């Protein structure tokens, strides 16, 4: 049996349109309810995010929008208990409204399953949000295993998250697994570090990033053309 491990964000769907809409909705809401400027919201959101990242680096909680909203409320002298959960929902409602599965994902997943390849999702961030994303994208019935960095205790590229996925799949040999992801420093470095061959989905053209355990593909359409030769 072989397994295919996939990153979620910015691999199976485009992250930027979602994040931009989330920020737009958050900003519009705060401009109208708190009477502050758009620039102030964006500046303080960014510094709140950086503060949380610095405090909680390489953990799932470092990406938690609820914590960003808590710092944002604090920076405006507002009660975070009153506002932050609602602000988080405003952001995610905007985010989910723009979330669209890449058209190549279902054909890739169906082709893998037809070849008895199990599919796992290995993703940073908290389980609650990542499960919501997978349900929104309609992927739950294709996926055998999910591991979030919340469950593993550390973000990629920490080997713990990759090993937990292999353990859940009862897979002892990393050479029978492949990983697909967009981030070189997280997905590719992490997968390669425990001997998993990785497909790096990226337009980046830095030659030093090539190695025998890494195959670069420019997009999922290209991946779809070659992945079945590797399982
Ligand atoms: Mg990603």
């Amino acid at each position: 049996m072989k397994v295919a491990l996939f990153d979620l964000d910015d691999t199976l769907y485009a992250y930027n349109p979602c994040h931009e809409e989330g920020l737009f909705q958050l900003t519009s809401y705060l401009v109208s309810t708190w009477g502050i400027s758009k620039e102030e919201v964006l500046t303080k959101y960014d510094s709140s995010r950086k503060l949380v990242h610095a405090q909680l680096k390489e953990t799932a909680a470092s990406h938690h929008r609820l914590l960003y909203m808590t710092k944002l409320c604090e920076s405006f002298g507002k009660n975070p208990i009153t506002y932050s959960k609602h602000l988080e929902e405003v952001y995610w409602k905007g985010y989910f409204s723009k979330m669209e599965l890449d058209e190549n994902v279902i054909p890739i997943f169906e082709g893998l399953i037809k070849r008895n390849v199990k599919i796992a999702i290995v993703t940073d961030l908290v389980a609650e949000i990542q499960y919501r994303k997978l349900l929104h994208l309609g992927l739950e019935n294709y996926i055998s295993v999910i591991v979030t960095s919340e469950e593993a205790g550390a973000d990629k590229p920490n080997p713990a998250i990759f090993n937990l996925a292999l353990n859940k799949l009862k897979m002892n040999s990393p050479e029978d697994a492949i990983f697909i992801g967009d981030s070189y420093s997280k997905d590719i470095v992490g997968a390669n570090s425990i001997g998993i061959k990785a497909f790096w989905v990226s337009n980046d053209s830095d030659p030093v990033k090539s190695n025998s355990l890494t195959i670069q593909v420019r997009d999922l359409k290209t991946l779809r053309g070659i992945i079945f030769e590797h399982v």
Side-chain angles (χ1 to χ4, degrees):
M1 185 192 76
K2 292 212 170 188
V3 299
L5 316 176
F6 284 82
D7 169 51
L8 170 57
D9 300 305
D10 226 18
T11 294
L12 303 185
Y13 72 95
Y15 172 83
N16 280 338
C18 303
H19 175 62
E20 280 163 18
E21 183 65 18
L23 268 189
F24 174 76
Q25 294 298 335
L26 175 73
T27 306
S28 305
Y29 179 82
L30 287 177
V31 167
S32 66
T33 56
W34 288 359
I36 49 184
S37 73
K38 183 182 162 199
E39 291 69 31
E40 267 182 297
V41 178
L42 292 175
T43 303
K44 291 201 172 173
Y45 176 86
D46 196 48
S47 54
S48 300
R49 183 183 64 79
K50 284 179 178 152
L51 201 54
V52 174
H53 264 282
Q55 288 173 337
L56 296 169
K57 49 179 166 283
E58 286 151 39
T59 64
S62 73
H63 313 286
H64 206 321
R65 304 306 190 270
L66 185 59
L67 299 182
Y68 301 175
M69 300 311 166
T70 297
K71 303 275 186 217
L72 186 68
C73 288
E74 288 165 354
S75 70
F76 282 110
K78 301 283 187 182
N79 184 340
I81 301 166
T82 310
Y83 296 106
S84 54
K85 186 63 190 165
H86 182 65
L87 297 183
E88 185 200 19
E89 283 306 319
V90 168
Y91 172 88
W92 284 119
K93 196 172 171 208
Y95 189 103
F96 279 106
S97 75
K98 296 287 179 185
M99 204 174 185
E100 277 181 33
L101 189 65
D102 184 287
E103 62 184 7
N104 296 286
V105 172
I106 299 296
I108 290 172
F109 281 11
E110 285 181 344
L112 290 170
I113 289 166
K114 205 169 84 181
R115 290 164 176 82
N116 291 318
V117 178
K118 288 200 169 173
I119 296 167
I121 299 291
V122 179
T123 177
D124 289 345
L125 220 161
V126 294
E128 186 216 343
I129 293 294
Q130 300 310 75
Y131 291 9
R132 273 171 69 184
K133 288 176 184 170
L134 291 167
L135 287 168
H136 180 88
L137 295 171
L139 293 177
E140 67 272 25
N141 293 330
Y142 295 95
I143 295 164
S144 299
V145 157
I146 175 158
V147 180
T148 62
S149 60
E150 182 176 36
E151 186 180 354
D155 277 349
K156 293 175 277 189
N158 192 304
I161 190 167
F162 299 91
N163 283 323
L164 183 54
L166 295 184
N167 288 344
K168 285 193 185 195
L169 289 158
K170 300 182 174 51
M171 163 69 60
N172 298 318
S173 32
E175 61 272 19
D176 286 333
I178 55 172
F179 196 98
I180 298 92
D182 70 293
S183 166
Y184 188 84
S185 60
K186 287 171 163 279
D187 298 319
I188 310 310
V189 169
N192 286 174
S193 77
I194 61 159
I196 297 176
K197 183 193 283 181
F199 291 83
W200 180 31
V201 186
S202 169
N203 284 324
D204 196 322
S205 57
D206 185 346
V208 299
K209 289 174 181 170
S210 299
N211 72 63
S212 61
L213 271 182
T214 301
I215 296 169
Q216 185 177 355
V217 289
R218 52 181 295 113
D219 50 29
L220 289 188
K221 186 166 182 253
T222 315
L223 178 77
R224 188 177 159 186
I226 62 162
I227 190 171
F228 303 120
E229 299 161 20
H230 295 268
V231 294

